[in-house]
Structures are given as C-alpha cells and as structure tokens.
Amino acid sequence: MDEVPVWSIICVVVRSGHRRQGVTAHLLEGAVEYAASRGAPAIEAHPVDPDGRMDTTMAFVGTRAMFEQAGFRVIGTTDAVASRMTRLIMRRDL
C-alpha cells in the first residue's frame, strides 16, 4: 500500500465455546499494545466484510466490524478473497 513498515495480524482464532464473549477484542488490543511497545508505527489486518454471519471455516481472517471496534480503518482492498469475499486492508496507526 505504501512505505510504512507495518506489523500484521494474519489471523484471529477463538476456540468454539469461547466466542461472542469479547475474547477477540482482548486479543486485538494485546496485539496492538505489543506492536506499539516494540516500536511498530502501524498495524494492519486483512479481514472481510460479510453480509451477516460468515462460514466459521473462513472466519479466522476476521471481519471489518471487529477491526473497526479495535480502532482500525479501511485503507484499501487486496486481490485476495476469503469465502468469495474481497479482503480489506485495515490499519491502525500507533
């Protein structure tokens, strides 16, 4: 996208039975805090923006909503797809 040496969150996995309890929010914030503590200027992810619930076998890429709630913003799209959905480029500046 640009010359910023970003760190990346490539997947987020929460074990069945522990989902929909806020675990992902804590994982994302922990990743952001760790990257910031190591001097990363920004952190990116490549989630999808599903219309409703998505196939759990592809949910590991995350969703736009979960990253927006963690302070990320959409800055573009990739050529990649997950479950036939375009993967976004979302960034949080640190």
Side-chain angles (χ1 to χ4, degrees):
M1 177 62 61
D2 54 33
E3 298 301 316
V4 177
V6 300
W7 286 35
S8 296
I9 298 173
I10 59 169
C11 69
V12 178
V13 179
V14 175
R15 186 180 176 144
S16 179
H18 299 278
R19 297 178 186 144
R20 305 192 75 67
Q21 298 177 28
V23 174
T24 300
H26 291 292
L27 290 173
L28 293 179
E29 197 53 41
V32 167
E33 288 175 9
Y34 181 78
S37 76
R38 299 299 187 265
I43 189 165
E44 286 184 356
H46 301 99
V48 294
D49 190 11
D51 292 330
R53 198 159 172 85
M54 68 183 286
D55 179 355
T56 57
T57 62
M58 293 307 299
F60 68 91
V61 300
T63 64
R64 177 182 183 154
M66 79 170 50
F67 283 97
E68 282 179 338
Q69 290 170 0
F72 289 70
R73 62 185 165 76
V74 176
I75 63 167
T77 60
T78 72
D79 293 333
V81 295
S83 288
R84 294 185 217 119
M85 290 178 278
T86 299
R87 301 214 23 210
L88 306 171
I89 302 170
M90 296 188 72
R91 181 181 290 176
R92 180 167 160 180
D93 296 313
L94 304 177

